[in-house]
Amino acid sequence: MASSQDVHVRICGQEIIKYDLEIKALIQDIRECPGPQSVLMDFNSEVKDRFNQLRLRIQNMEQMAKEQDRETEKQAILSETESNRRQMLSNQTAWRKANLACKLSIDNLEKDELLYGGDSTVRQRKATKESLVQTSGDITESLMSISRMMAQSVSQSEETIGTLATSSRTVLETDEEFKAMTGTIHLGRKLISKYNRRELTDKLLIFLAVALFLATVLYILKKRLFPFI
């Protein structure tokens, strides 16, 4: 039966997949968007919201990995988290390219409209460029944020590897101590066996000495009391 912790990990993973698919669909909409500027801004607003939700879920999964009791499960979840983070970075890059493609499409449309003149067209083009520059800046900032998150994850992975190395050394040292202790116990057993044999020999010698002493005493008594026998 799955534990509550495992259920939370699976739910978080399903939400990550959900937001990833939604982001991909929105990026495709941006890539195919011919304008106007308001539509592009709405798309970018939705993408930004999905990225925030996705980033939060990835951080939650990373935290749940740290709370795992077994090291194998912890490493498996951390590996999945790193894969999700790389996918998010790929989506960020695709988002930026889609905005650039949309900008090119809108610029071409504005050039066509400009042939018919009109200050409103010029103002709209200026507003479009400013908005796209702002969007590009937001995407760049998001990319930098993801890069920092990945650097932090690499640092945590290095700490985990260091901990595992330390644990391995401790296990090896314990094994060496166990082997030394086993040798000592074996030597002690041999000494005890030797002493047991020595004790048996000593008892036998004492018994023979006592028997010889008693025989001597009886012989002397016999000669003194019954010299005629």
Side-chain angles (χ1 to χ4, degrees):
M1 182 177 179
S3 65
S4 175
Q5 199 172 37
D6 294 335
V7 172
H8 288 315
V9 171
R10 284 201 296 269
I11 292 175
C12 188
Q14 291 171 359
E15 291 180 344
I16 288 174
I17 295 173
K18 169 192 170 186
Y19 288 121
D20 178 71
L21 293 176
E22 290 179 353
I23 288 172
K24 284 180 169 59
L26 288 168
I27 290 174
Q28 185 62 30
D29 290 338
I30 292 174
R31 190 178 290 114
E32 298 173 355
C33 175
Q37 176 63 23
S38 58
V39 176
L40 178 60
M41 291 177 64
D42 290 340
F43 280 143
N44 281 319
S45 177
E46 290 185 42
V47 172
K48 189 180 299 185
D49 177 68
R50 296 302 189 282
F51 269 121
N52 289 335
Q53 295 294 334
L54 178 60
R55 187 178 298 107
L56 180 61
R57 296 304 185 280
I58 291 175
Q59 290 173 349
N60 289 342
M61 178 170 283
E62 187 174 33
Q63 181 61 35
M64 284 188 283
K66 297 176 182 179
E67 296 173 355
Q68 294 295 316
D69 296 329
R70 289 187 288 183
E71 188 65 26
T72 54
E73 293 181 357
K74 175 182 177 181
Q75 292 302 323
I77 298 174
L78 285 176
S79 177
E80 182 180 353
T81 302
E82 186 64 25
S83 176
N84 291 329
R85 188 173 283 114
R86 287 195 297 269
Q87 183 61 45
M88 182 169 64
L89 179 60
S90 176
N91 287 337
Q92 288 275 6
T93 303
W95 182 26
R96 186 170 188 174
K97 290 180 179 179
N99 270 277
L100 293 175
C102 184
K103 175 183 179 300
L104 180 61
S105 176
I106 293 175
D107 282 347
N108 290 334
L109 181 61
E110 289 179 350
K111 288 178 182 178
D112 293 338
E113 292 178 350
L114 189 60
L115 295 175
Y116 300 97
D119 294 337
S120 60
T121 302
V122 175
R123 287 194 299 269
Q124 183 181 3
R125 181 175 63 180
K126 182 178 179 181
T128 299
K129 290 182 178 180
E130 291 176 351
S131 176
L132 288 174
V133 169
Q134 178 64 34
T135 300
S136 179
D138 292 341
I139 295 174
T140 300
E141 183 179 353
S142 296
L143 288 171
M144 292 177 65
S145 176
I146 293 176
S147 297
R148 288 192 295 269
M149 290 172 62
M150 293 184 70
Q152 182 181 3
S153 177
V154 169
S155 177
Q156 292 174 347
S157 298
E158 290 176 349
E159 292 178 359
T160 301
I161 292 173
T163 301
L164 289 174
T166 302
S167 299
S168 298
R169 286 194 297 270
T170 303
V171 170
L172 290 175
E173 291 173 358
T174 303
D175 183 62
E176 292 297 328
E177 291 178 358
F178 177 76
K179 289 180 179 178
M181 187 179 298
T182 301
T184 302
I185 293 173
H186 182 67
L187 178 60
R189 186 182 295 113
K190 291 175 64 177
L191 291 174
I192 291 173
S193 298
K194 180 179 178 180
Y195 290 146
N196 286 336
R197 290 195 299 270
R198 181 67 176 273
E199 182 181 6
L200 180 61
T201 303
D202 291 343
K203 287 181 178 179
L204 181 59
L205 291 175
I206 292 172
F207 175 77
L208 292 175
V210 170
L212 180 60
F213 173 76
L214 292 175
T216 303
V217 170
L218 289 175
Y219 179 78
I220 293 172
L221 290 175
K222 177 184 175 182
K223 289 296 183 180
R224 293 283 182 88
L225 298 177
F226 308 102
F228 51 88
I229 297 178

